[in-house]
Amino acid sequence: SGVFLPCLSQILGIIFYLRLPTITAQAGCIGASAIIAVCVLSTFVTSLSLSAIATNGTIQAGGPYYIISRTLGIEVGGSLGLLFYLGNTIGAAMYVLGAVEAFQTNLDYYGAPAEEAAVEEVDDLVAYYEIDDDDVAEEEEYVDPNEVEADEDDWFGSTEIASMVTMFILAIMVGVGMKYVNYTSGMFLSINLLSIISILLGAVLFGASVWDGSLTSSERVFFDNVWPHFGPDPKTGITPTFASLLALFYPSVTGIMAGTNRSGKLAKPSKSIPKGTISAISVTSLLYFVQVWLVGSVVSHKTLMENK
């Protein structure tokens, strides 16, 4: 549990909630499964190498830095340790931005109900296409909703300011001490797993026509996302490619070092690190595949594209 649970909570990130449905709509269930397989293969091979090193020597405090520096040398270990630190820093910024986006989507900027926030989203989608009147032909011109002048009273609800405030609060929490942060990790993981269960259960009930939730019966279209349907994103107007979607999803498989970071506190790190890391990769990969095929098989393509 000292490796499995930290890795599980670190791997399950914001991409799973906010971008995996869009990836499924663009690449289809088959393409999204291929993306997941390629990304998981990368981290799985890395975990095998990590396990080989962990089982052939004594792992002390320092986690990945200790393993790399004692295996490849202090110079290489220091360079990779710096990259590892920068990666975690940028990852933290990404998670905070995702959390703020989720709050703004469901609560609007000032706590307005989700129904009122949905009206603004519909306006953005309407602005996606502007039809020019022409006797000869009708030309579709993309209009970026982000270029629309924002209301002066909405400055306090901007994503950047809200993200900075959130990051400041998290920095204070971490500054108190990692010991207290570790005490709450189980609670946050439980909330995470409960939300995943809610997503999967909701998809099953929606597909069985038992409960529609915020969707409608017209949005229940079976096997509408099996094959790729690459098209312009309703928000950005950019048509993604397989490579860009792979890059978008890849952060969802990182975090396999979370358990190794606690090597100094593990009773048997050479035994716990391989089992815990590989088990966490297997469980999260299964969740990703189930999410893609379950949601992609019962929700219409149009809904997955527009409702992230």
Side-chain angles (χ1 to χ4, degrees):
S1 62
V3 177
F4 175 75
L5 293 181
C7 286
L8 190 66
S9 60
Q10 190 77 11
I11 295 175
L12 292 173
I14 197 68
I15 303 295
F16 176 82
Y17 299 99
L18 296 184
R19 294 297 180 265
L20 190 54
T22 302
I23 294 175
T24 304
Q26 294 280 4
C29 294
I30 295 178
S33 298
I35 290 174
I36 295 173
V38 171
C39 295
V40 170
L41 179 62
S42 172
T43 56
F44 183 72
V45 172
T46 303
S47 67
L48 291 180
S49 301
L50 178 64
S51 301
I53 297 174
T55 54
N56 290 329
T58 302
I59 306 299
Q60 300 181 7
Y65 169 75
Y66 178 86
I67 296 175
I68 296 173
S69 61
R70 297 304 184 274
T71 305
L72 302 177
I74 298 178
E75 295 79 6
V76 177
S79 302
L80 295 180
L82 178 60
L83 294 176
F84 185 66
Y85 165 77
L86 293 176
N88 283 334
T89 303
I90 297 174
M94 181 191 69
Y95 286 124
V96 169
L97 287 170
V100 171
E101 178 181 333
F103 278 119
Q104 289 180 340
T105 300
N106 291 278
L107 302 177
D108 200 8
Y109 292 138
Y110 307 106
E115 291 78 6
E116 297 181 14
V119 174
E120 297 182 2
E121 183 177 355
V122 170
D123 291 340
D124 288 343
L125 294 175
V126 171
Y128 177 70
Y129 285 110
E130 181 182 274
I131 308 300
D132 293 336
D133 294 332
D134 195 337
D135 296 333
V136 179
E138 291 185 346
E139 180 183 359
E140 293 181 346
E141 178 183 355
Y142 173 72
V143 178
D144 188 357
N146 297 321
E147 294 180 355
V148 179
E149 185 176 356
D151 191 345
E152 295 181 356
D153 296 333
D154 288 347
W155 68 272
F156 183 79
S158 65
T159 302
E160 293 78 8
I161 296 178
S163 300
M164 291 294 293
V165 173
T166 304
M167 183 66 76
F168 180 73
I169 295 174
L170 293 176
I172 294 177
M173 294 174 59
V174 175
V176 173
M178 283 302 300
K179 179 176 68 174
Y180 299 99
V181 175
N182 293 335
Y183 288 154
T184 61
S185 60
M187 179 188 67
F188 287 118
L189 179 60
S190 300
I191 297 174
N192 207 356
L193 294 178
L194 181 61
S195 63
I196 293 175
I197 294 174
S198 300
I199 292 174
L200 301 180
L201 180 61
V204 172
L205 296 178
F206 178 72
S209 302
V210 176
W211 182 71
D212 292 339
S214 60
L215 302 178
T216 61
S217 58
S218 61
E219 296 175 301
R220 186 185 300 107
V221 181
F222 295 101
F223 305 109
D224 196 27
N225 300 283
V226 175
W227 301 101
H229 295 84
F230 292 103
D233 185 271
K235 288 291 185 180
T236 64
I238 300 174
T239 300
T241 62
F242 182 87
S244 64
L245 293 178
L246 189 146
L248 176 62
F249 178 77
Y250 193 83
S252 293
V253 298
T254 60
I256 62 175
M257 296 294 185
T260 311
N261 291 334
R262 307 186 180 193
S263 58
K265 298 182 180 180
L266 298 175
K268 297 180 180 180
S270 61
K271 180 180 179 181
S272 301
I273 290 176
K275 288 186 176 181
T277 304
I278 294 177
S279 298
I281 293 175
S282 301
V283 172
T284 52
S285 301
L286 179 62
L287 286 175
Y288 291 149
F289 283 118
V290 172
Q291 158 84 337
V292 166
W293 282 96
L294 184 58
V295 176
S297 298
V298 299
V299 182
S300 68
H301 171 72
K302 183 176 182 295
T303 300
L304 288 186
M305 283 285 290
E306 297 177 353
N307 188 358
K308 296 182 180 181

